[in-house]
Amino acid sequence: MTLLHTYPAAKTGANYVIPDSVTSIGAHAFEGCTNLTSITIPDGVTSIGESTFQNCSSLTSITIPDSVTYFMEDAFAGCTSLTTIEVGAGNVNYTEVNGVLFNKEKTALLTYPAGKIGDEHNIPEGVTSIEEYAFYGCKGLTSITIPDIVTSIGESTFQNCTRLTSVTFLGAAPAVGAGAFSGVA
C-alpha cells in the first residue's frame, strides 16, 4: 500500500486522510473528486503525479509535506476553490510565498491557486520561469505583471483565465509555450 492509484471521484465525504503507508500519489489519483474540500498528505509521500488533483473543484487548501521531492506542475489544474498551498518548513525542494507554490530557490513559479482572492498579481523578482499550468483556471485574475528576468512561460500557463485582460512584461516578452493564453479574455 505505497502507491495511491485512484480515489473514487463520486465518493462522498469532504475530507480524506491518505494512509501513512503511501509514498507516492499516482497520476490522476484524485481527478474530478468534486466532493473533497481537504486532503491530508502524510509526511513520507515523496511524489505527486500528473494531474493528481485536477478538477477537484471544492478543494480549498493543501499542505505539501517535507518529504515531497517530485511534483508535477499540473497537479492542481482546475482546482477553482483552492486558495492556498502550504509547504512544510523542512521541504528542501519546494516553498510557498503567500500561498503560491515555488521551487525552493524561488526561481520557478509552479502553482498559483486558482481560487486565490485578488484580481491582480505581480510575479516576484527573482522568478525566471513560470511553469506549465501555473495559473490554469484562475477565473478571478484580471491583471498580471511579469518581471524582466522571466525567460519562459510554460504550456497552458494562463489557460482558462477568463477574466485576464492585462499582461504587463517589464522587459522583452519571454518564450511562451503552446496554449499559454488559450481561453483568455
Side-chain angles (χ1 to χ4, degrees):
M1 292 186 31
T2 59
L3 169 65
L4 192 154
H5 185 274
T6 305
Y7 182 90
K11 187 173 171 107
T12 58
N15 307 308
Y16 181 67
V17 177
I18 296 173
D20 288 339
S21 64
V22 172
T23 58
S24 181
I25 304 171
H28 307 278
F30 289 91
E31 184 174 3
C33 292
T34 58
N35 293 326
L36 286 174
T37 59
S38 78
I39 298 169
T40 302
I41 302 173
D43 206 18
V45 168
T46 59
S47 68
I48 298 174
E50 176 184 1
S51 303
T52 300
F53 302 103
Q54 186 171 359
N55 296 324
C56 288
S57 57
S58 298
L59 187 63
T60 58
S61 68
I62 197 150
T63 300
I64 297 172
D66 293 347
S67 57
V68 173
T69 59
Y70 176 77
F71 179 92
M72 287 296 294
E73 290 87 3
D74 67 347
F76 297 106
C79 293
T80 54
S81 296
L82 189 63
T83 58
T84 188
I85 298 171
E86 296 178 13
V87 178
N91 191 300
V92 297
N93 294 300
Y94 304 103
T95 191
E96 59 88 15
V97 177
N98 298 322
V100 179
L101 183 63
F102 295 87
N103 66 342
K104 192 65 168 185
E105 298 77 26
K106 298 180 196 161
T107 58
L109 191 153
L110 304 174
T111 303
Y112 183 93
K116 189 167 176 59
I117 304 301
D119 57 1
E120 58 183 60
H121 184 70
N122 296 322
I123 305 288
E125 289 295 327
V127 171
T128 59
S129 67
I130 305 169
E131 299 301 315
E132 294 179 3
Y133 298 92
F135 287 86
Y136 184 95
C138 290
K139 297 192 185 318
L141 190 65
T142 60
S143 171
I144 188 126
T145 302
I146 299 173
D148 59 352
I149 64 169
V150 170
T151 57
S152 67
I153 295 175
E155 286 184 22
S156 303
T157 299
F158 296 101
Q159 187 173 345
N160 295 333
C161 292
T162 56
R163 293 186 58 221
L164 184 62
T165 57
S166 173
V167 178
T168 304
F169 295 102
L170 298 180
V176 177
F181 292 96
S182 177
V184 173

